[in-house]
Amino acid sequence: MPFRCAVLDDFQNVAATSADWSALGDRVELVPFTEHFASEDELTAALAGFDCVVTLRERVPFPASVLNRLPRLKLLIASGMRNSVIDYAAARAGGVTVCGTESSSTPPVELTWALILGLARGIVQENNALREGGPWQSTVGADLHGRTLGLLGLGRIGSQVARVGLAFGMQVTAWSRHLTEERADEIGVRLALSKEELLTSSDFVSVHLALGDRTRGLLGAAELALLKPTAYLVNTSRAAIVDQDALLAALHEGRIAGAGIDVHDIEPLPAGHPMRTAPRLLATPHLGYVSRANYERYYGQAVEDIRAYLDGTPLRVLG
């Protein structure tokens, strides 16, 4: 019997063509799923007959309640080398090996700037008007040069976003709990005195922090109230860092100029979710990691992980 491998959330149906699965020969049967499973019951029913699952990012949780219902599962592969929604202890207890893949920071950096530029120059609104026979020019763009870009987080992604901002001639400031002046100087940006000082002084604020106990809800109603009415907020990190209800209220009440959001509290967003219709919002369906090169890396290394596991020498083991 072949080693059956499921690929979850293959929305574009590209998993099979993003890597050379033939390298596994006839040892593995690949089954991509192009639709998202919304409940644990749907997920476990679909995966009951699989030995291996490849899951994209952190969209599908694998708690003990799921792992315990998949007795055939032996290998779980996560894209990226960090996954907060897998219960590693439960996986070990059930004899499931968890492996990861490398992930490039370039795609989320590029998407961050796509959102910033799209917001600043009203790209979607102007494009729609042009195509639909609407007004010829209806917006006045917000300048980047000379304006302040505030970064919450100056790690692998935030530092690359900072360098692009500097290339645009922006003044770049950064803050996080453990950010040092030495690190800020290394990147060429100013260390903000506090989170509050960064929020009040920035024309664009971009979130680049990992989600954890200290960052969950970091930007709530009080923090969003500190933003200028002409400021834009961009989040390509994790939805829970920003209080979603407070953000929706700020957008509906016009207390900020707009927001660019790639991450959501529920993914995929339900049809009637308020984020789908919020004003002043440029939203994308978690595209930060979705690029051809990144997919080739994810699935190419998933093939390596499967082959190594079958050969008895697992690679990139997590947890």
Side-chain angles (χ1 to χ4, degrees):
M1 180 181 297
F3 191 77
R4 302 191 73 221
C5 177
V7 176
L8 297 181
D9 292 340
D10 185 17
F11 298 126
Q12 302 92 345
N13 197 22
V14 296
T17 57
S18 295
D20 183 12
W21 294 88
S22 69
L24 299 171
D26 58 3
R27 295 194 292 175
V28 175
E29 177 189 354
L30 180 68
V31 181
F33 288 95
T34 58
E35 299 294 328
H36 181 72
F37 298 112
S39 70
E40 287 192 4
D41 287 343
E42 292 177 354
L43 180 68
T44 53
L47 299 182
F50 288 91
D51 307 280
C52 171
V53 173
V54 179
T55 181
L56 271 180
R57 306 307 294 146
E58 297 171 311
R59 181 176 297 111
V60 180
F62 280 87
S65 57
V66 167
L67 293 168
N68 292 341
R69 295 169 68 180
L70 300 174
R72 181 169 167 174
L73 184 64
K74 294 294 181 285
L75 177 62
L76 178 59
I77 300 174
S79 58
M81 292 300 292
R82 179 175 59 191
N83 192 299
S84 63
V85 297
I86 295 174
D87 187 330
Y88 294 105
R92 285 193 298 272
V96 178
T97 299
V98 183
C99 297
T101 71
E102 296 173 357
S103 181
S104 172
S105 59
T106 300
V109 171
E110 294 174 351
L111 184 73
T112 295
W113 279 102
L115 291 173
I116 291 174
L117 290 166
L119 287 166
R121 301 306 296 268
I123 298 296
V124 174
Q125 181 177 338
E126 295 288 3
N127 174 70
N128 289 344
L130 185 147
R131 295 171 66 88
E132 297 166 4
W136 184 263
Q137 297 183 3
S138 61
T139 64
V140 177
D143 296 283
L144 300 185
H145 185 87
R147 299 302 190 267
T148 299
L149 171 64
L151 301 176
L152 292 169
L154 197 64
R156 196 164 58 115
I157 295 174
S159 60
Q160 294 182 62
V161 172
R163 292 186 177 100
V164 177
L166 293 170
F168 271 116
M170 302 185 78
Q171 301 173 39
V172 183
T173 64
W175 177 90
S176 66
R177 294 181 189 275
H178 302 295
L179 181 60
T180 64
E181 192 163 354
E182 289 75 17
R183 171 62 175 170
D185 289 343
E186 177 187 343
I187 305 301
V189 308
R190 183 179 72 85
L191 175 63
L193 299 176
S194 65
K195 173 182 64 177
E196 290 74 19
E197 190 261 333
L198 180 142
L199 294 173
T200 57
S201 64
S202 296
D203 299 293
F204 297 83
V205 174
S206 192
V207 180
H208 302 289
L209 296 166
L211 178 62
D213 292 340
R214 290 188 173 186
T215 59
R216 188 178 298 275
L218 184 73
L219 297 185
E223 288 76 19
L224 294 177
L226 297 176
L227 291 170
K228 302 175 184 179
T230 55
Y232 296 90
L233 174 69
V234 173
N235 187 8
T236 58
S237 182
R238 291 292 181 268
I241 296 173
V242 181
D243 183 309
Q244 300 296 284
D245 290 336
L247 175 59
L248 284 167
L251 291 170
H252 278 283
E253 295 166 14
R255 288 189 276 109
I256 59 175
I261 303 297
D262 185 49
V263 286
H264 308 277
D265 55 356
I266 304 172
E267 295 187 3
L269 280 178
H273 195 284
M275 278 292 180
R276 287 186 178 270
T277 55
R280 303 176 182 85
L281 177 67
L282 176 56
T284 47
H286 204 155
L287 297 178
Y289 62 90
V290 181
S291 77
R292 189 175 306 279
N294 227 18
Y295 271 25
E296 289 173 352
R297 182 174 302 192
Y298 288 165
Y299 294 121
Q301 293 192 1
V303 170
E304 295 175 1
D305 288 346
I306 295 168
R307 181 166 53 191
Y309 175 83
L310 293 176
D311 291 341
T313 55
L315 283 175
R316 294 181 281 266
V317 176
L318 304 180

